[in-house]
């Protein structure tokens, strides 16, 4: 029970900064990449994984977002925990801004509890926001000295975000749940207000999943795994809830999802389809706003390539013996 005291402190600290108001860099939250949902997945089950994906979200004709994401994580015996590297590059169409993000995370060894295991993780991401190069080039060619430059202004470098995050992940035989809290700090490079180290909105990601039926101690005992999951993402200027039950077969993936963009009042219905080749898996998520209950017929899509390298239990003395807990 002593570990739950730490969780309560994380929740309490998170609630204290809900009132911070500013604009963050992008409302996109990739859902098919575990490392971007909760950094405590780093080196999960002593595995090595690589995720490469692209997410697109079109709210309306004036708002479009695109983000490329790349993550690599593995288990480190020397550090006695999971480590990961994160790279993302995105476009905020409405504001003519490009973002480049680099991050690192560390997840501690799981701590056994009475009914499961608990993991804590920390991560730090750095985000550099610049004016889109194409728009910046047009300003130099098309705009004369008396005309105003295109948004967000004349400066190429706009701001830098430092994004420290804390995460907790709990797994039992029946469920998995995790909470990630980010506390970004903003350094503004563009002219205007002096807001160095300005606090941007806290972002919280809640992850809840059913047990991975079909797996036992990392090995597949059935040809499929049924995984219902709920993901809630919150920040001051963007909140979304996603319900996603799917079936992961040895050769393919099939599922549906309901995604509610509360901020823009867009409620999407979509599907998941994927195919696997050994340790390689490609998944596509696509959906659109439901007419009548959504303000806009927003389109969203996410393509993700996943490569999983399972752990190898090897003993020089007894090569065929399994690892002891």
């Amino acid at each position: 029970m002593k570990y739950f005291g730490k969780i309560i402190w994380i929740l309490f600290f998170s609630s204290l900064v809900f009132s911070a108001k500013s604009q963050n860099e992008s409302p996109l939250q990739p859902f098919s990449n575990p490392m971007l949902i909760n950094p405590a997945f780093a080196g999960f089950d002593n595995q090595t994984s690589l995720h490469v994906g692209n997410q697109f979200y079109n709210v309306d004709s004036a708002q479009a977002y695109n983000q490329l994401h790349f993550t690599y994580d593995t288990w480190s015996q020397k550090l006695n925990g999971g480590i990961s590297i994160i790279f993302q590059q995105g476009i905020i169409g409405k504001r003519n801004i490009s973002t480049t993000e680099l991050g690192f995370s560390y997840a501690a060894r799981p701590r056994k509890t009475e009914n499961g295991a608990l993991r804590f993780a920390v991560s730090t991401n750095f985000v550099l926001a610049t004016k889109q190069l194409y728009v910046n080039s047009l300003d130099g060619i098309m705009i004369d000295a008396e005309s105003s430059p295109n948004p967000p202004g004349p400066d190429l470098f706009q701001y830098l975000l430092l994004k420290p995050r804390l995460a907790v992940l709990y797994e039992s035989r029946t469920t998995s749940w995790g909470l990630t809290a980010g506390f970004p700090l903003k350094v503004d490079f563009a002219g205007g207000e002096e807001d160095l180290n300005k606090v941007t909105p806290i972002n919280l990601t809640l992850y809840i999943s059913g047990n991975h039926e079909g797996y036992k101690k990392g090995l597949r005992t059935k040809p499929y795994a049924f995984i219902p999951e709920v993901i809630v993402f919150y920040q001051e200027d963007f909140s979304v809830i996603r319900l996603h039950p799917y079936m992961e077969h040895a050769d393919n993936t099939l599922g549906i999802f309901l995604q509610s963009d509360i901020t823009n009042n867009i409620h999407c219905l979509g599907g998941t389809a994927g195919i696997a080749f050994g340790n390689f898996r490609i998944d596509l998520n696509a959906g659109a706003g439901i007419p009548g209950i959504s303000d806009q017929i927003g389109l969203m899509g996410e393509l993700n390539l996943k490569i999983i390298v399972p752990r190898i239990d090897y003993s020089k003395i007894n090569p065929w013996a399994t690892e002891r807990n």
Side-chain angles (χ1 to χ4, degrees):
M1 295 297 293
K2 62 180 180 180
Y3 303 124
F4 289 95
K6 298 180 181 180
I7 299 174
I8 296 299
W9 277 110
I10 292 175
L11 291 172
F12 175 73
F13 180 65
S14 301
S15 66
L16 293 179
V17 291
F18 267 167
S19 59
K21 294 182 180 295
S22 182
Q23 189 172 33
N24 211 338
E25 78 281 9
S26 174
L28 291 182
Q29 168 61 51
F31 293 102
S32 59
N33 191 326
M35 285 304 311
L36 300 178
I37 296 174
N38 192 311
F41 279 112
F44 188 76
D45 201 21
N46 290 21
Q47 296 184 140
T48 297
S49 66
L50 172 70
H51 289 79
V52 180
N54 190 82
Q55 185 181 26
F56 172 79
Y57 185 31
N58 184 70
V59 177
D60 52 35
S61 58
Q63 297 185 68
Y65 305 91
N66 189 79
Q67 186 158 285
L68 171 70
H69 53 87
F70 168 93
T71 66
Y72 171 83
D73 69 283
T74 188
W75 178 263
S76 172
Q77 293 291 349
K78 293 183 178 180
L79 298 177
N80 196 29
I83 57 175
S84 71
I85 299 175
I86 296 171
F87 176 80
Q88 297 188 88
Q89 194 166 49
I91 295 177
I92 307 175
K94 183 179 180 181
R95 297 164 58 197
N96 293 330
I97 283 181
S98 298
T99 60
T100 302
E101 181 171 351
L102 181 65
F104 307 91
S105 67
Y106 172 80
R109 175 180 286 275
R111 301 184 181 183
K112 292 184 179 181
T113 64
E114 183 177 354
N115 298 313
L118 193 63
R119 298 188 77 187
F120 294 95
V122 294
S123 71
T124 300
N125 292 19
F126 301 88
V127 182
L128 176 63
T130 62
K131 188 173 182 178
Q132 290 184 29
L133 294 179
Y134 176 72
V135 177
N136 191 65
S137 300
L138 285 180
D139 285 350
I141 298 173
M142 307 294 294
I143 304 297
D144 56 45
E146 298 180 356
S147 301
S148 299
N150 287 305
D155 299 292
L156 175 61
F157 296 101
Q158 291 295 310
Y159 58 85
L160 176 71
L161 280 180
L162 173 63
K163 298 169 59 178
R165 294 192 299 168
L166 301 175
V168 60
L169 179 66
Y170 177 76
E171 274 213 322
S172 69
R173 295 185 61 183
T174 57
T175 59
S176 300
W177 65 266
L179 177 65
T180 304
F183 313 93
L185 296 175
K186 182 178 181 181
V187 179
D188 210 328
F189 295 144
E193 298 181 358
E194 295 294 332
D195 59 351
L196 296 181
N197 297 332
K198 184 176 181 179
V199 177
T200 60
I202 180 178
N203 54 76
L204 296 175
T205 304
L206 175 66
Y207 172 83
I208 303 174
S209 173
N211 67 328
H212 288 45
E213 181 185 358
Y215 290 91
K216 185 176 182 180
K217 294 184 178 181
L219 299 177
R220 186 181 293 276
T221 59
K222 295 181 180 180
Y224 65 88
F226 177 70
I227 308 173
E229 64 180 15
V230 177
I231 301 173
V232 180
F233 177 75
Y234 168 86
Q235 67 182 30
E236 184 69 25
D237 53 356
F238 182 71
S239 298
V240 63
I241 300 175
R242 180 183 176 99
L243 174 62
H244 184 209
Y246 65 96
M247 187 80 71
E248 191 175 85
H249 192 269
D251 297 322
N252 51 66
T253 305
L254 190 64
I256 62 172
F257 67 84
L258 291 171
Q259 180 173 311
S260 180
D261 178 351
I262 300 174
T263 304
N264 297 298
N265 193 35
I266 298 177
H267 309 284
C268 291
L269 174 64
T272 299
I275 187 169
F277 307 93
N279 293 331
F280 294 80
R281 183 175 293 272
I282 301 176
D283 292 318
L284 173 65
N285 294 267
I290 303 174
I293 64 174
S294 300
D295 290 349
Q296 303 287 339
I297 308 300
L299 301 175
M300 64 84 58
E302 185 174 353
L303 181 65
N304 187 68
L305 166 65
K306 177 172 62 176
I307 303 174
I308 300 293
V309 181
R311 67 179 181 181
I312 299 176
D313 297 330
Y314 177 77
S315 171
K316 293 182 179 180
I317 299 176
N318 188 0
W320 294 276
T322 59
E323 183 182 31
R324 294 182 178 180
N325 295 325

